[in-house]
Amino acid sequence: MAVRSEFHSPNTLSNQTSATRTLKPKPEAPRLSVGFILANRFTLCAFANFVDVLRLAADEGDRSRPILCKWTILSDTMDPVTSSSGIIVQPKERLGDPRRFNYIVVVGGLMDETPNLSKAYHHFLQEAAAAGVPLVGVCTGAFLLHQAGLLDGYRCCVSWFHHSDFMEQFDGLDPVADQIFVVDRDRLTCSGGVSSAHLAAYLVDKHVGRAQANKSLHIMIIDDALQAEKPQPGIPLDLKTRDPIVQRALLIMQQNIDTPISVQEIARRMGNSKRQVERHFRLSLDTSPQVAFLNIRLDLAHHLIEKSQKSVAQIAVDCGFCDSSHLSRMFRRRYGGTPQALRHTTTIPEE
């Protein structure tokens, strides 16, 4: 009777070990993959906030392993890219096939120093759009997406600070400057700064989970994820309120200082009634929208008289008054003196 040996040759053990190795589960594929394009003189804060949300959501604790999220910086030349603060960042991958990413994020920078993206970037972004890869514009990245012909027919978010620049450069578009970010189908845009973190958290929430999104923001000492409709902070004002309707109305006023619009038009742009806006102003600030708008314009006029070399007549035009006499009358009512009197007592800095 044949006896079966329980001993195995070294080759048999080796084969079993190899088989065991092949049975190990593969690491989980990233749920969110992002390719970044950095414009020359890009804003480092906007980029860092966005990528840090991904980093913190990608792994347990603060270990920074790209497990649940993956990100990389793309380039057409692989040359280092200098940020607006002078910090230099080295790209990691060439452009390649955009379909390997869930999103392509374009981070813009200084308006006067950010050149147009190269033809290679335009081709890559257009290829991504044709393949259905969503495109994200961060800070002035919306400008760069539009220059590539990729924002026609889309709502887009720009900073209130750059709203007039966008309108001058891109006639016919009506960008949104009273929200921190805008999601319009497969185009996502945000105003930069901390809004980049909130847009990134929106993507993490969608693809990875709300817990991971909240975890990232909490580690970054950001209390809660903000929705897209959250108003942007604008020019510092004495008018302080937590009422989002009033905040948005004030922001629209700030964007239209030189050509004041009616409360009816402000309400229309916000999707509210004139009576609603007036009621919220009364409850929140104990004043009317008309008075608040006038005070915003007068505060700016006061600032320009003290800090600039512009003539009173030019300041009147810049602040939406029909002439210097009109400005002087309103100015005296508010401050008890004329712009000319304030100018005589002010040392104007040289430009």
Side-chain angles (χ1 to χ4, degrees), residues 92-103:
K92 189 174 180 181
E93 296 182 22
R94 290 194 175 272
L95 298 177
D97 186 349
R99 292 173 296 180
R100 68 189 191 275
F101 300 106
N102 298 119
Y103 297 87

Side-chain angles (χ1 to χ4, degrees), residues 113-333:
E113 299 183 37
T114 301
N116 293 346
L117 295 176
S118 69
K119 290 182 179 179
Y121 283 124
H122 281 194
H123 176 76
F124 176 78
L125 291 169
Q126 289 158 0
E127 184 181 354
V133 179
L135 304 178
V136 181
V138 170
C139 192
T140 58
F143 288 69
L144 300 174
L145 288 177
H146 186 64
Q147 287 168 351
L150 296 168
L151 279 184
D152 292 343
Y154 287 90
R155 296 170 67 244
C156 67
C157 179
V158 297
S159 167
W160 65 268
F161 191 71
H162 295 122
H163 184 270
S164 59
D165 297 310
F166 199 101
M167 296 300 290
E168 287 177 8
Q169 292 192 33
F170 306 120
D171 187 35
L173 288 180
D174 187 17
V176 176
D178 58 353
Q179 296 182 201
I180 58 170
F181 65 88
V182 168
V183 178
D184 187 356
R185 294 161 288 164
D186 54 355
R187 299 290 185 276
L188 303 88
T189 46
C190 74
S191 53
V194 73
S195 73
S196 304
H198 290 292
L199 178 52
Y202 168 83
L203 298 182
V204 170
D205 185 349
K206 182 177 180 180
H207 293 273
V208 183
R210 180 156 298 179
Q212 287 83 358
N214 288 336
K215 168 204 163 187
S216 294
L217 294 177
H218 293 163
I219 292 176
M220 295 170 70
I221 318 181
I222 299 173
D223 289 339
D224 295 298
L226 299 180
Q227 299 302 308
E229 296 78 14
K230 172 71 177 178
Q232 293 181 29
I235 301 169
L237 297 172
D238 292 333
L239 302 169
K240 302 296 184 183
T241 177
R242 292 181 177 274
D243 187 318
I245 289 179
V246 177
Q247 287 179 332
R248 292 185 66 185
L250 291 172
L251 189 60
I252 292 172
M253 292 174 185
Q254 292 173 57
Q255 294 160 2
N256 292 274
I257 285 178
D258 59 339
T259 53
I261 58 177
S262 68
V263 178
Q264 183 71 43
E265 175 60 16
I266 292 171
R268 186 195 67 78
R269 294 187 185 186
M270 295 169 55
N272 298 99
S273 70
K274 179 174 180 285
R275 181 171 294 184
Q276 277 181 310
V277 174
E278 290 173 337
R279 184 172 68 251
H280 279 262
F281 266 80
R282 186 61 64 186
L283 291 173
S284 180
L285 298 174
D286 194 26
T287 191
S288 68
Q290 294 89 339
V291 170
F293 202 174
L294 176 60
N295 288 342
I296 288 172
R297 292 156 58 207
L298 288 171
D299 285 348
L300 178 59
H302 191 283
H303 172 80
L304 293 174
I305 289 164
E306 282 192 314
K307 303 297 183 182
S308 78
Q309 294 182 328
K310 291 183 176 183
S311 68
V312 173
Q314 183 59 52
I315 291 172
V317 172
D318 290 346
C319 296
F321 296 94
C322 57
D323 54 34
S324 57
S325 297
H326 184 205
L327 171 60
S328 294
R329 289 195 303 274
M330 298 297 103
F331 201 90
R332 183 189 289 274
R333 290 181 190 176

